[in-house]
Amino acid sequence: MQKICRTPRILFSATGSGCGKTTVSAAILAALCQHGLHIQSMKSGPDYIDPMFHTRITGRAAYHADPFFSTAEQMRELAANVSENADLLWIEGAMGFYDGIGQTSDASTYTTAMVLQAPTLLLLQPQGMGRSVAAVCKGFLELEQPNPIRGILLNRVRSGMYAYYREILERETGIPVYGYLPELPEVHLESRHLGLLLADEVTQLDEKIRLLGETAAQTIDLDGILALAAEAPSFSYPAAESKPTPSFRLGIAQDRAFCFYYAENLDLLQSFGAELVPFSPIHDTKLPDDLDGIYLGGGYPELHLKELSHNQSFLHDLRSHAASGIPIFAECGGFLYLQQELCDADGQAYPMAQLLDGTAHMGKCLCRFGYVTLTAQQDTFLGPSGTKIRAHEFHYADSTENGNAFLVTRPNGRTWQAYQSHGNILGGFPHLYFPSNPKVPANFAGKCRQFREEKKRL
């Protein structure tokens, strides 16, 4: 059945990384939510951490509008379905507006804006510039045509300078400036090697969100932004099917060590019958009862090595489950956890679950990163040899045994191998995006149901 998406939507991008996009986005989301609006957010790009902040503010799972992972039709369908009961769909960009694959705009935030027909706000940080700020903005308006940029926001601008910049920009570009966010040192969001601290780790985050929202309500034209969002054209899309009654129990590692999951992946697993059962390898002494599968996502196991390694009761129970034949799928941080040892940046080794071969070690720079396509080189419980799925890889750790179950190919043609497959256990560095090939999670779900039926016969 076809439905019509009429949800107002807007895309928020910037001239580049480091402009304060996440902070300004959080401020606007907080201000709108404080006014009682129901906001659905999406992130353009593969990032996990920004969506965690969105969820903390809006109370709704954040999704991804990613042109590498999804076709245009899939992006529109997802955007429409997740925003169906929202007052506004807020889409936060990645990097700079035109930053895509290689030296192109392919799979960039610009692509996302065009696919979703979303009016776009461009964030500028004008320190050190006078009239030159208009040249920067005009370059963004003229680089690609047609162009969806309909407004400008400024960051880290003093109230006394705002009128100066606004007059220049509106005179030279012909598009409105919707406000600014001043420098707020008390709400600075700290970073680490993979990006911002997790939302749960930020000291007094709720107080910082409150202050951001109150400030944005005073310095940003929220009504103007909502009016701009309402100009987004409607489009038709197929209605989502209702989720079935659960037919198997899938354990999901969810704590500060394992927290990187695409909401779309979890939704898709539920659509194939999964009941998602959270557990913590840091805090729990054993796995939940009556599981039929285990999913260990990415995160920061390297920051919790003592807790993970010393939780012998949980490790023993995990090994017992593995010996029973339960399907175990592990990505990135989960892959590190299943190996023999994980060495910290100083070279100290900590025994891990010892269910996969190899020793992992932390490096000082990114190892392999970027968008990739995986092609299965052998049969696994995710599918037969030849199965393809899109993914993203981003990590400082490496392993002596990365596996060879999949061939990994970057858009520039560079290749390497990944994923160890040992019967009922599959683990590797790339984060899979299940909607890019729904047969993959369907096969995983089928393996879990098969294990459940085998348990009943014992």
Side-chain angles (χ1 to χ4, degrees):
M1 180 180 70
Q2 290 289 311
K3 302 177 72 172
I4 302 297
C5 176
R6 295 186 174 88
T7 307
R9 58 192 179 277
I10 201 152
L11 187 142
F12 177 58
S13 189
T15 55
S17 297
C19 291
K21 184 166 61 260
T22 301
T23 301
V24 177
S25 182
I28 294 173
L29 289 175
L32 294 173
C33 289
Q34 288 167 7
H35 280 73
L37 296 181
H38 300 286
I39 312 298
Q40 177 61 58
S41 72
M42 300 185 79
K43 175 70 177 179
S44 180
D47 179 52
Y48 289 100
I49 297 176
D50 286 352
M52 293 181 187
F53 284 91
H54 294 183
T55 296
R56 182 69 170 262
I57 297 167
T58 67
R60 301 168 70 118
Y63 293 80
H64 290 76
D66 191 296
F68 179 80
F69 287 154
S70 306
T71 65
E73 183 179 354
Q74 288 171 330
M75 287 173 60
R76 285 191 289 268
E77 181 179 345
L78 177 64
N81 277 308
V82 300
S83 67
E84 187 173 17
N85 299 313
D87 298 311
L88 173 72
L89 174 61
W90 177 267
I91 308 145
E92 181 180 329
M95 303 174 65
F97 186 49
Y98 295 111
D99 297 332
I101 294 173
Q103 298 182 2
T104 74
S105 296
D106 293 345
S108 67
T109 300
Y110 168 78
T111 308
T112 299
M114 297 306 295
V115 167
L116 296 182
Q117 299 174 282
T120 296
L121 293 172
L122 183 69
L123 180 68
L124 296 171
Q125 188 171 296
Q127 283 89 339
M129 288 187 283
R131 185 167 178 255
S132 296
V133 71
V136 173
C137 188
K138 289 182 79 170
F140 274 82
L141 288 168
E142 295 172 5
L143 183 61
E144 296 277 6
Q145 297 297 326
N147 197 288
I149 296 173
R150 296 291 180 268
I152 303 167
L153 284 170
L154 302 177
N155 189 33
R156 300 188 183 121
V157 172
R158 298 192 309 273
S159 59
M161 291 296 295
Y162 173 62
Y164 168 79
Y165 285 122
R166 179 177 181 177
E167 181 180 351
I168 291 173
L169 286 165
E170 292 189 339
R171 182 181 69 241
E172 299 291 349
T173 69
I175 62 174
V177 179
Y178 284 90
Y180 70 100
L181 195 70
E183 184 75 54
L184 296 170
E186 59 270 46
V187 301
H188 174 68
L189 301 178
E190 298 179 46
S191 299
R192 61 160 69 95
H193 57 286
L194 293 184
L196 293 173
L197 293 183
L198 303 179
D200 289 342
E201 298 175 309
V202 177
T203 304
Q204 296 181 316
L205 178 60
D206 291 337
E207 176 62 21
K208 292 177 179 180
I209 289 171
R210 182 192 64 77
L211 178 58
L212 282 169
E214 291 176 351
T215 303
Q218 297 173 7
T219 63
I220 294 175
D221 181 7
L222 300 176
D223 289 338
I225 290 174
L226 291 173
L228 180 62
E231 296 178 11
S234 61
F235 60 85
S236 63
Y237 68 100
E241 296 181 4
S242 59
K243 293 176 181 176
T245 301
S247 56
F248 67 95
R249 285 168 55 84
L250 180 64
I252 303 285
Q254 289 186 324
D255 56 23
R256 288 188 176 182
F258 306 99
C259 50
F260 292 173
Y261 296 95
Y262 292 122
E264 302 92 303
N265 283 10
L266 302 185
D267 282 358
L268 200 50
L269 286 166
Q270 289 178 307
S271 76
F272 290 123
E275 175 189 354
L276 303 180
V277 186
F279 65 86
S280 169
I282 295 177
H283 303 293
D284 295 343
T285 58
K286 66 182 187 67
L287 285 158
D289 294 334
D290 194 28
L291 293 183
D292 308 303
I294 297 171
Y295 186 1
L296 292 152
Y300 291 110
E302 65 271 21
L303 301 181
H304 306 277
L305 290 173
K306 288 183 179 179
E307 298 97 319
L308 293 169
S309 185
H310 293 172
N311 193 351
Q312 290 296 315
S313 175
F314 184 87
L315 288 169
H316 175 75
D317 192 51
L318 178 60
R319 291 173 189 136
S320 295
H321 275 74
S324 74
I326 191 171
I328 301 176
F329 176 60
E331 296 174 315
C332 205
F335 173 54
L336 300 177
Y337 181 62
L338 294 188
Q339 296 201 353
Q340 300 297 303
E341 295 178 329
L342 176 53
C343 300
D344 64 17
D346 296 323
Q348 183 173 349
Y350 293 83
M352 291 287 111
Q354 300 177 343
L355 293 173
L356 292 176
D357 300 331
T359 295
H361 52 274
M362 294 303 300
K364 298 185 183 298
C365 60
L366 282 171
C367 185
R368 294 173 297 279
F369 67 96
Y371 288 121
V372 293
T373 300
L374 273 61
T375 304
Q377 304 298 288
Q378 56 187 265
D379 295 346
T380 73
F381 60 70
L382 295 184
S385 178
T387 296
K388 292 181 181 293
I389 188 167
R390 295 199 164 189
H392 186 261
E393 195 162 341
F394 190 89
H395 52 92
Y396 280 66
D398 206 354
S399 171
T400 58
E401 296 290 342
N402 286 309
N404 58 8
F406 286 84
L407 179 69
V408 183
T409 306
R410 288 208 64 186
N412 64 7
R414 182 190 168 200
T415 63
W416 58 88
Q417 293 180 321
Y419 272 88
Q420 291 188 43
S421 179
H422 293 277
N424 60 305
I425 305 173
L426 182 65
F429 276 117
H431 293 268
L432 308 188
Y433 189 75
F434 287 165
S436 67
N437 185 352
K439 291 182 180 179
V440 167
N443 290 333
F444 184 26
K447 186 68 174 180
C448 293
R449 279 192 294 271
Q450 178 184 340
F451 178 76
R452 185 172 186 85
E453 292 302 315
E454 290 171 352
K455 284 193 303 182
K456 290 179 180 179
R457 291 196 291 268
L458 294 179

